[in-house]
Amino acid sequence: MRATATGWSDALTAAALLAIDPVGLGGICIRSGAGPLRDHWLETLRGLLPEQTPLRKCPPAISDGRLLGGIDLAATLSVGRPVIERGLLAEVNGGILVAVMAERLAASTVAHLNSALDMREIVIERDGLSQRIPSLFAVVALDEGIGDERAAPSICDRIALRVDLTDLSRQDMIGSTFCADQIAAARGRVGKAKLPAHALKALCSTAASLGVASLRAPLFAIRVARAAAALDDDDRVRDAHLELAARLVLAPRATAIPEASSAEAEPAKNREPEGAEQHVPEDAQLDDLVLAAALAAIPPDLLKRLRVGDQDKLRSASVGKQGMSRVSKQRGRPIGVRRGELRSGARLNVLETLRSAAPWQSLRRRTQSQLVGADRAPRLVIHRDDFRVTRFRERSATSTIFVVDASGSSALRRLAEVKGAVELLLADCYVRRDEVALIAFRGKAAELILPPTRSLTRAKRSLAALPGGGGTPLSAAIVSATSLALAVRSKGHCPTIVLMTDGRANVCRDGHSGRTEAESEARDAARQLRVSTIPAVVVDTSPRPQQQAAGIAAEMNARYVVLPYADAAKLSRAIRAHMQA
Amino acid sequence: MPAVFPFSAIVGQDEMKLALMIAAVDPKVGGVLAFGDRGSGKSTAVRALAALLPSMRAVVGCKYQCDPDDSATLCGECRACPAAKLKSHQVAVPVIDLPLGATEDRVVGALDLERALARGEKSFEPGLLARANRGFLYIDEVNLLEDHLVDLLLDVAASGENVVERDGLSVRHPARVVLVGTGNPEEGELRPQLLDRFGLSVDVRTPADLPTRIEVVKRRDAFETDPIGFGAQWAKQDLKSRKRILAARDRLGQVTVSDKSLAKAAQLCVSLGTDGLRGELTLMRAARAVAALEGDKSVDDSHLRRVAPAALRHRLRRNPLDDSGSGVRVERAVAECLPA
């Protein structure tokens, strides 16, 4: 395929551009699994950079202390004054930070990287330290996500380049045509190339018509174009450089295609509402050229992704959650001090440590002076037994999983009421800062509409967009709710399932219809849920309370509530009472 | 410190710039919260403000940069010293960054680790709140900050005093701090209880029209190509804004608020159903600061109209799920109560 071949050569060009202006471009996001292609790309980049350039790997679960720097306890205790351990961000100054498994970076790590990229220095305020350290670096984010998993959008916004190597194979791999000397020469020229007046407009309008809202994108495009001009030893930025910039920077960020499903620039132009082409015809030509270049590079699955919903947004909140559950040793309210090891980020309580060491000092000093001589004995002898760490209690977060029957059977009649009830419950969760997730089932399968999130705006949006109609795959819904609840629990949160259905299952898990079979499957699934001891509420949404829903509730060991007519508030009260119990 | 983008060179974002100017004129307004899209220049504006602020007089050697002319807000040490002996010098107004991941001990201050370890002494090492006294504390991604830290900060900002009870220390010191928080609502929301503790709240949107976007990118590009030259180009404008702030501070005390304006502010709040009196108070203070900035002697409807959205939009008792922005509701109420 033509597209893939250009994909690899674009990747090589991207490596060259990044090597020319690493700090200006901020970095690159490479979407690909681990493999020879990616390794080869990294080696190429390495070869183009000056030899002494530091290259550091940043694992996804890096601790704040290691990332930013902090106090080195072993050294601190041995010399009797604070010894500072340099963090990764200080070490990488002037080099490249390789973020492995970027899609799994914790939210706090992403935030630190963002602020370092913005400020070009790191500000440390921790463990009694207060420092500013210059930190100029580029991020190579290795995004190994599959499907909707992506590197955090906030960091992708701050790095210029994006390359997708997923569909490339070894055959596409060709050697780089750039050599280190060429890059070094270009590095000296960067920023000197003249930017033609219309270039800004061309890039901005292309960004606008591709639906790229962030203003960082056109800025990065300019820098990429400048770096490309430097690479060609050109004293002005040419159209070809702008096209390359549009392809590498703007196209991967596109959230809209100007003319749906058409990759031609001509009709696209007509749709640009902000375009001022009418009175500047020669600029219009360049606009089209740049837009066409960007359109040609837009990933083929973009439309599909757009239809599914804004995945970037979906992703961002779940990242925050992963970060939340990981660091419970360091956050929350302090609840006391205990003796403990200084492993895995436990926080030392200095005063208590000193207090516990104090009674032994004269004794220990005497032993030490016998060992090493009186003049060399440390003033303070602290043993591992003296360490006291502060314990914290983090409020365990609650996640409420709403499972909504959107089938045609009967729920359709009351879907609006169900939505109203869910909205009231959501408002309640909002005040308590609970997380909510939404699973809808209709037709042949159950679908996770909204992964656990705290963003209520999104919850509401996805609820409003929920369509109704089709069969009732109840068993599939219960199974997916159970597995989601288990996943939530494994993160240390407390899940609650709220199932809203009339209980009239008529679609089996394999997708074929059949009422009897489907009902027995649903009961099986309900029994599974009971075994997992996840608290649940079943809300009967049928016009008149039915045996089926009550039966499912009994199998689940769930509380059974009948959706009262046109009284969403009453339902919300009932569920709230249950959740508090 | 890296060069800072000049405040005057920021294109558009008038509401945010006005809110920051108001906070610079009258710190009592109670902080600014800016929520909005990625890459819309929230942080740029806050950092630019730091370069714009006029310098202030502070006691030499004081950890809290106390104001020698204001005996009511002196810290313990400065108060113990006879007023005549306090030496003072001009210092820049502090704009302190609160980085995400800052630990509580660095925010409020804690036991001085070095002295504890080396000499076994118990002494207090001031934290960020001490450094930010009489200035601004900037929290990027305020919605990602740990809840207990946000609680603590808002409490300190409201009381103007930091009380430390930890590590066996018991210290209190002045911490009159204007909080400026920014964040992206897509990444999580701020607790509703905390929202209305901020005086002003602005929604920041990426400009949608092409000429504005081009202008933003053009200036940013010019700045990055030659930060110093670009700064010099805008220095005059920045100086003008600084003088405006200084003049407005002088005038602030003389700006009168008529009973009629008060009544209108109250009417506006009632029609919007805002909780408590904080809305009216902030509205009044902000309007007075705007009048002072404009050089007017008294507050009139135009000032109220300008600040009403920022002062009230986050105080509406709204259905948290209602997408239709509360800004729209405020505007509607403004159109009703304060017809142009």
Side-chain angles (χ1 to χ4, degrees):
Chain A
M1 262 175 74
R2 191 191 56 83
T4 55
T6 53
W8 177 247
S9 77
D10 272 355
L12 289 178
T13 316
L17 296 173
L18 187 62
I20 290 173
D21 187 9
V23 174
L25 301 188
I28 186 168
C29 176
I30 300 177
R31 187 157 169 95
S32 136
L37 265 174
R38 201 180 73 182
D39 294 346
H40 183 75
W41 188 92
L42 279 173
E43 267 167 46
T44 310
L45 176 67
R46 178 82 257 206
L48 295 176
L49 290 164
E51 258 182 43
Q52 67 280 13
T53 312
L55 201 122
R56 295 276 185 282
K57 275 199 176 170
C58 168
I62 188 166
S63 70
D64 281 3
R66 183 68 201 101
L67 188 71
L68 299 171
I71 226 151
D72 182 341
L73 256 168
T76 299
L77 290 178
S78 72
V79 295
R81 63 179 168 76
V83 175
I84 292 148
E85 174 194 32
R86 261 154 63 90
L88 196 64
L89 288 180
E91 285 171 12
V92 82
N93 185 18
I96 304 279
L97 185 83
V98 182
V100 237
M101 291 192 255
E103 77 283 359
R104 299 196 53 80
L105 279 180
S108 68
T109 312
V110 169
H112 291 312
L113 290 178
N114 287 345
S115 106
L117 284 170
D118 281 355
M119 306 280 295
R120 301 190 172 176
E121 63 178 359
I122 43 175
V123 184
I124 306 172
E125 294 291 349
R126 47 185 295 117
D127 297 344
L129 296 177
S130 170
Q131 272 194 321
R132 303 181 112 149
I133 302 171
S135 177
L136 294 150
F137 62 93
V139 177
V140 174
L142 302 178
D143 180 354
E144 295 176 12
I146 294 174
D148 297 338
E149 244 185 340
R150 274 163 205 285
S154 60
I155 192 157
C156 289
D157 194 47
R158 285 170 170 86
I159 59 187
L161 303 161
R162 266 183 229 188
V163 172
D164 192 336
L165 303 180
T166 338
D167 299 329
L168 297 186
S169 69
R170 267 195 109 115
Q171 286 133 32
D172 302 315
M173 201 163 83
I174 42 164
S176 170
T177 50
F178 306 104
C179 66
D181 295 339
Q182 193 188 353
I183 299 295
R187 206 171 287 135
R189 288 191 294 264
V190 81
K192 296 224 173 74
K194 223 173 132 267
L195 195 70
H198 58 280
L200 274 174
K201 181 173 166 287
L203 289 174
C204 286
S205 69
T206 306
S209 53
L210 292 175
V212 183
S214 170
L215 284 167
R216 286 197 184 98
L219 258 172
F220 278 134
I222 290 172
R223 284 188 220 161
V224 166
R226 282 222 164 101
L231 183 64
D232 288 350
D233 194 7
D234 211 328
D235 59 352
R236 55 176 281 140
V237 175
R238 310 245 167 226
D239 293 357
H241 304 141
L242 295 177
E243 280 174 41
L244 178 72
R247 211 160 67 217
L248 289 175
V249 180
L250 300 181
R253 288 172 154 81
T255 62
I257 293 183
E259 188 66 61
S261 79
S262 161
E264 279 165 44
E266 196 46 43
K269 183 190 126 197
N270 301 337
R271 278 209 41 193
E272 278 177 43
E274 304 93 346
E277 288 95 331
Q278 286 84 344
H279 46 91
V280 207
E282 62 269 34
D283 283 10
Q285 218 176 352
L286 179 65
D287 287 8
D288 290 350
L289 217 60
V290 174
L291 184 60
L295 282 177
I298 283 181
D301 63 335
L302 175 72
L303 272 183
K304 196 178 112 220
R305 257 171 43 210
L306 292 178
R307 216 175 299 128
V308 173
D310 197 347
Q311 295 296 348
D312 281 1
K313 287 178 189 165
L314 289 188
R315 181 71 193 128
S316 61
S318 55
V319 166
K321 224 175 84 48
Q322 286 168 4
M324 289 294 289
S325 57
R326 199 175 291 133
V327 281
S328 54
K329 266 184 201 133
Q330 310 173 25
R331 57 200 295 166
R333 303 206 171 271
I335 51 162
V337 178
R338 66 173 167 77
R339 196 156 103 185
E341 293 278 310
L342 285 177
R343 272 191 317 228
S344 51
R347 206 180 278 170
L348 181 75
N349 187 316
V350 179
L351 200 74
E352 287 304 320
T353 304
L354 291 176
R355 198 171 279 162
S356 68
W360 309 97
Q361 288 310 305
S362 57
L363 199 66
R364 285 180 189 167
R365 219 173 286 138
R366 215 176 304 148
T367 342
Q368 284 279 321
S369 7
Q370 278 165 13
L371 282 173
V372 294
D375 50 333
R376 291 185 54 203
R379 307 168 55 96
L380 199 63
V381 190
I382 292 179
H383 290 175
R384 224 170 60 176
D385 279 355
D386 303 327
F387 287 159
R388 296 289 183 274
V389 286
T390 313
R391 289 194 300 161
F392 296 93
R393 178 183 290 144
E394 191 176 20
R395 193 177 70 102
S396 167
T398 313
S399 302
T400 310
I401 300 167
F402 290 99
V403 188
V404 178
D405 185 348
S407 69
S409 55
S410 76
L412 190 54
R413 269 174 270 160
R414 308 195 67 190
L415 190 56
E417 276 170 62
V418 170
K419 281 183 180 179
V422 174
E423 279 188 14
L424 280 174
L425 287 169
L426 284 174
D428 218 39
C429 294
Y430 177 68
V431 172
R432 277 184 321 205
R433 307 212 86 195
D434 285 357
E435 287 185 339
V436 291
L438 184 63
I439 293 176
F441 59 105
R442 59 187 279 265
K444 290 202 156 78
E447 193 187 351
L448 177 62
I449 304 280
L450 182 73
T453 178
R454 267 190 192 167
S455 173
L456 271 293
T457 323
R458 274 179 40 213
K460 155 129 185 185
R461 210 182 297 147
S462 49
L463 189 68
L466 187 66
T472 313
L474 185 56
S475 56
I478 299 174
V479 168
S480 61
T482 312
S483 65
L484 181 64
L486 289 174
V488 164
R489 185 185 273 177
S490 73
K491 282 181 186 164
H493 295 204
C494 307
T496 306
I497 293 176
V498 179
L499 173 61
M500 304 184 143
T501 181
D502 58 353
R504 289 187 186 164
N506 58 11
V507 177
C508 298
R509 286 185 63 194
D510 55 9
H512 76 267
S513 334
R515 186 167 291 274
T516 343
E517 222 177 316
E519 277 179 0
S520 85
E521 260 192 18
R523 275 194 299 276
D524 286 346
R527 271 192 289 276
Q528 289 280 329
L529 180 58
R530 173 192 216 128
V531 171
S532 64
T533 67
I534 292 161
V537 183
V538 173
V539 181
D540 193 339
T541 58
S542 50
R544 250 162 276 111
Q546 299 282 325
Q547 276 304 310
Q548 288 100 323
I552 294 285
E555 295 286 9
M556 273 186 201
N557 196 19
R559 189 186 162 126
Y560 175 71
V561 184
V562 177
L563 178 63
Y565 259 104
D567 187 3
K570 199 165 155 193
L571 172 69
S572 143
R573 268 201 303 279
I575 291 178
R576 200 184 311 153
H578 174 80
M579 290 195 318
Q580 275 159 4
Chain B
M1 198 158 160
V4 179
F5 195 82
F7 192 78
S8 327
I10 295 169
V11 184
Q13 313 294 18
D14 294 326
E15 197 186 13
M16 164 137 185
K17 283 198 281 189
L18 181 68
L20 289 174
M21 296 274 273
I22 291 173
V25 171
D26 185 4
K28 290 202 187 74
V29 167
V32 179
L33 182 70
F35 260 42
D37 306 335
R38 269 186 277 280
S40 52
K42 302 180 293 281
S43 317
T44 310
V46 180
R47 303 221 158 93
L49 178 75
L52 192 71
L53 292 168
S55 59
M56 61 181 194
R57 283 216 313 142
V59 174
V60 176
C62 176
K63 288 173 190 163
Y64 314 106
Q65 53 279 337
C66 285
D67 183 355
D69 302 328
D70 187 358
S71 58
T73 60
L74 291 179
C75 70
E77 279 174 47
C78 294
R79 194 167 298 165
C81 187
K85 279 201 180 161
L86 285 177
K87 276 193 210 149
S88 69
H89 61 163
Q90 291 284 328
V91 292
V93 173
V95 177
I96 305 294
D97 263 28
L98 179 79
L100 213 72
T103 48
E104 190 177 328
D105 57 317
R106 286 306 308 145
V107 176
V108 299
L111 185 77
D112 186 332
L113 202 62
E114 178 148 14
R115 288 174 66 180
L117 282 174
R119 285 178 255 165
E121 275 176 28
K122 206 163 83 172
S123 73
F124 178 67
E125 194 190 6
L128 291 174
L129 282 170
R131 296 226 315 265
N133 184 26
R134 302 180 63 203
F136 291 74
L137 189 67
Y138 171 45
I139 316 161
D140 197 6
E141 315 263 19
V142 62
N143 45 345
L144 299 183
L145 202 68
E146 289 170 41
D147 280 356
H148 69 109
L149 270 181
V150 182
D151 294 353
L152 190 150
L153 287 172
L154 285 165
D155 188 45
V156 169
S159 64
E161 188 178 47
N162 179 26
V163 181
V164 187
E165 297 288 352
R166 51 175 291 154
D167 298 346
L169 295 163
S170 177
V171 178
R172 53 177 57 212
H173 69 76
R176 288 179 302 130
V177 173
V178 178
L179 288 183
V180 180
T182 60
N184 182 341
E186 295 285 359
E187 284 164 13
E189 278 141 24
L190 208 58
R191 284 222 312 278
Q193 301 92 306
L194 300 186
L195 272 177
D196 83 326
R197 303 285 288 270
F198 282 93
L200 303 173
S201 147
V202 284
D203 278 345
V204 189
R205 295 260 161 273
T206 330
D209 67 311
L210 195 57
T212 316
R213 289 178 65 101
I214 293 177
E215 190 56 31
V216 173
V217 175
K218 192 189 269 171
R219 288 195 192 170
R220 187 80 210 182
D221 183 53
F223 168 72
E224 266 156 25
T225 320
D226 177 15
I228 295 165
F230 188 77
Q233 212 180 317
W234 289 92
K236 221 170 147 188
Q237 291 278 343
D238 266 9
L239 191 68
K240 242 168 127 184
S241 303
R242 175 182 300 186
K243 282 190 180 148
R244 246 182 100 197
I245 293 177
L246 274 176
R249 278 189 194 161
D250 288 343
R251 270 198 297 267
L252 189 65
Q254 282 102 57
V255 176
T256 55
V257 184
S258 65
D259 287 351
K260 208 175 111 213
S261 298
L262 275 175
K264 278 192 175 158
Q267 190 193 345
L268 188 60
C269 292
V270 169
S271 76
L272 282 167
T274 56
D275 295 339
L277 288 170
R278 223 179 257 147
E280 271 116 309
L281 263 173
T282 314
L283 185 59
M284 239 31 265
R285 283 201 174 122
R288 195 188 290 149
V290 171
L293 276 168
E294 301 287 327
D296 294 330
K297 291 205 173 60
S298 63
V299 170
D300 63 30
D301 290 2
S302 74
H303 305 131
L304 286 175
R305 252 197 305 276
R306 275 184 80 185
V307 293
L312 299 178
R313 72 156 61 86
H314 53 303
R315 296 176 204 278
L316 305 191
R317 184 184 293 177
R318 57 164 189 158
N319 176 358
L321 303 157
D322 190 3
D323 283 337
S324 71
S326 37
V328 180
R329 278 171 61 196
V330 176
E331 268 161 35
R332 226 179 286 142
V334 167
E336 260 172 45
C337 300
L338 305 164

